[in-house]
Amino acid sequence: MSIKAKITERGAVLLGCSVACDAFDESRPLRVVTHAHADHMIGLQQSLRTCEKVLMTQATKDLIDVMRSPLFLMGGYVETLEYGKTFCYGEESITFFPADHILGAAQVLVEDAEGMRIVYTGDFRLEGTPVLETDILVMEATYGSPLCRRPFNTNVKDMLVSIVEEGLKHGAVYVFGYHGKLQEVMQILHEAGLKVPFIAPERVFQVSKICERHGMRIGRLLRVEEREVKAMLGQNQPCVAFYHMGSRGKVGRGSFCVYVSGWEFDMPCREIADKEYVIALSDHSDFDGLMEYVRRSRPRLVITDNFRIGYAETLARHIQRRFNISAVALPKR
Ligand SMILES: [Zn+2]
């Protein structure tokens, strides 16, 4: 059964006979991009050059257009596929389902000629992700260890709002996170009724506009490059500035800083220095969420992703032990 799905040494998730997800594989005519994070766009240029079709959701395509360039995807045959719609190739069919992770993220279901179901979750957070019943389940394993539990999940958003409100009493607040999650923070703060300007550098601004176009509500966002906005930051007026995690330490030094990270398990909010806080906001399931997906999906075989960062071997061991389901971490290390 395992030949129907595997993960290669280069990180490609192979489903059925024709699909390679999230990394290039020369043997597969179809490439799927589950979402627009870099570790799921491996070898995309090569896939665009050689695959018959590259499949992704419209939102993922729009995000790649701003994260790379509008020309990037023109190097190949991209086909956008809506959630719930099926793409047929030979005797196999490919269907996308939502994954609660970043805008546009998809789970992939491949059904082969014999009616076998093969599912790849991509990255996901259980809360907003439909669980798919399947024969073979390929899943992410980022927080696949019992050490990675966040039992406090429910009040993280309130905590985030109150820590930002606290910071605003002193002036500008800088929020650092990855694409997708930054926009989630904007939406949380906007929905909490914060009345201060939101500010972002060009790239974050562009990504946010795509999120807005696809239905997220993020409020009014200004470009940091504009003169009035620069002045506002210079005078330390109350506002929230959103920066990619890569800018940490380069901007906002000495200001009130909030980092959003999933790698936090002891408490929803932690003070790491004077005026510096980490908030445990994750866009991945914790260990319990991953195990719960397996329980409800009822597969006969599970393959955990041992290519990307995480605990694939530990997760496979726990699945095997708790559910008595065959589970293997691939690629083998
Ligand atoms: Zn991701």
Side-chain angles (χ1 to χ4, degrees):
M1 188 156 74
S2 64
I3 48 165
K4 300 224 175 191
K6 70 178 251 191
I7 304 176
T8 70
E9 297 290 331
R10 294 156 84 186
V13 177
L14 307 184
L15 309 176
C17 306
S18 44
V19 175
C21 302
D22 292 353
F24 173 71
D25 188 86
E26 57 282 339
S27 70
R28 301 302 170 105
L30 300 179
R31 165 74 188 264
V32 167
V33 181
T34 59
H35 65 285
H37 279 149
D39 57 340
H40 297 260
M41 296 196 288
I42 299 164
L44 184 50
Q45 196 101 59
Q46 229 171 336
S47 296
L48 286 162
R49 271 201 304 272
T50 60
C51 289
E52 282 179 43
K53 282 270 164 64
V54 179
L55 303 174
M56 62 190 76
T57 62
Q58 182 66 49
T60 295
K61 179 173 182 291
D62 292 346
L63 286 174
I64 295 174
D65 280 346
V66 300
M67 285 175 177
R68 298 285 166 99
S69 103
L71 295 176
F72 184 81
L73 291 176
M74 291 180 74
Y77 295 97
V78 173
E79 179 135 341
T80 58
L81 192 59
E82 280 174 51
Y83 297 128
K85 291 270 157 55
T86 297
F87 178 89
C88 293
Y89 187 90
E91 294 193 288
E92 293 184 337
S93 66
I94 298 119
T95 312
F96 285 176
F97 291 88
D100 180 10
H101 180 58
I102 66 163
L103 179 78
Q107 307 183 78
V108 185
L109 165 68
V110 171
E111 288 165 289
D112 72 3
E114 287 96 54
M116 178 167 304
R117 290 165 66 87
I118 309 156
V119 165
Y120 170 44
T121 60
D123 289 347
F124 74 100
R125 182 168 45 187
L126 186 67
E127 287 88 325
T129 302
V131 173
L132 306 176
E133 286 196 14
T134 190
D135 299 300
I136 303 178
L137 176 66
V138 185
M139 73 188 312
E140 65 131 319
T142 311
Y143 299 120
S145 158
L147 300 172
C148 305
R149 285 184 162 117
R150 283 182 295 264
F152 46 74
N153 244 337
T154 44
N155 57 18
V156 172
K157 291 180 181 178
D158 298 339
M159 192 67 91
L160 171 69
V161 173
S162 59
I163 207 79
V164 170
E165 280 174 337
E166 178 60 32
L168 286 170
K169 292 178 189 162
H170 309 278
V173 173
Y174 285 75
V175 174
F176 296 87
Y178 291 100
H179 290 309
K181 206 189 290 180
L182 278 179
Q183 287 74 23
E184 188 186 351
V185 174
M186 289 177 194
Q187 180 160 295
I188 291 167
L189 297 178
H190 175 63
E191 287 178 346
L194 249 69
K195 288 285 180 285
V196 297
F198 290 179
I199 292 168
E202 183 63 25
R203 181 63 57 88
V204 174
F205 181 87
Q206 297 286 353
V207 170
S208 306
K209 287 289 137 183
I210 299 294
C211 292
E212 201 168 36
R213 201 195 301 161
H214 285 274
M216 287 181 73
R217 292 171 306 273
I218 56 173
R220 192 159 155 66
L221 186 64
L222 307 169
R223 284 186 172 88
V224 75
E225 288 81 3
E226 284 171 36
R227 191 154 21 107
E228 298 89 330
V229 177
K230 270 206 185 97
M232 187 160 59
L233 274 177
Q235 292 157 13
N236 194 29
Q237 292 179 27
C239 61
V240 185
F242 295 88
Y243 277 89
H244 191 270
M245 200 60 106
S247 301
R248 179 179 183 164
K250 295 175 197 151
V251 294
R253 294 176 68 161
S255 300
F256 197 98
C257 293
V258 176
Y259 310 98
V260 283
S261 168
W263 290 97
E264 290 288 317
F265 307 105
D266 293 336
M267 52 189 96
C269 176
R270 190 161 62 89
E271 186 176 6
I272 52 172
D274 183 37
K275 295 190 291 182
E276 287 191 61
Y277 295 85
V278 185
I279 298 281
L281 187 69
S282 179
D283 48 16
H284 291 268
S285 295
D286 68 357
F287 175 75
D288 294 328
L290 293 168
M291 294 295 277
E292 179 62 12
Y293 191 107
V294 175
R295 190 184 71 78
R296 281 155 50 188
S297 169
R298 302 191 302 147
R300 284 183 280 151
L301 169 70
V302 179
I303 297 169
T304 57
D305 185 348
N306 198 25
F307 178 82
R308 292 166 185 84
I309 291 169
Y311 295 93
E313 285 169 0
T314 308
L315 181 60
R317 225 169 26 243
H318 279 270
I319 290 167
Q320 182 104 38
R321 201 181 305 157
R322 189 187 302 177
F323 302 120
N324 200 19
I325 295 172
S326 303
V328 58
L330 294 177
K332 292 249 189 285
R333 293 262 163 90

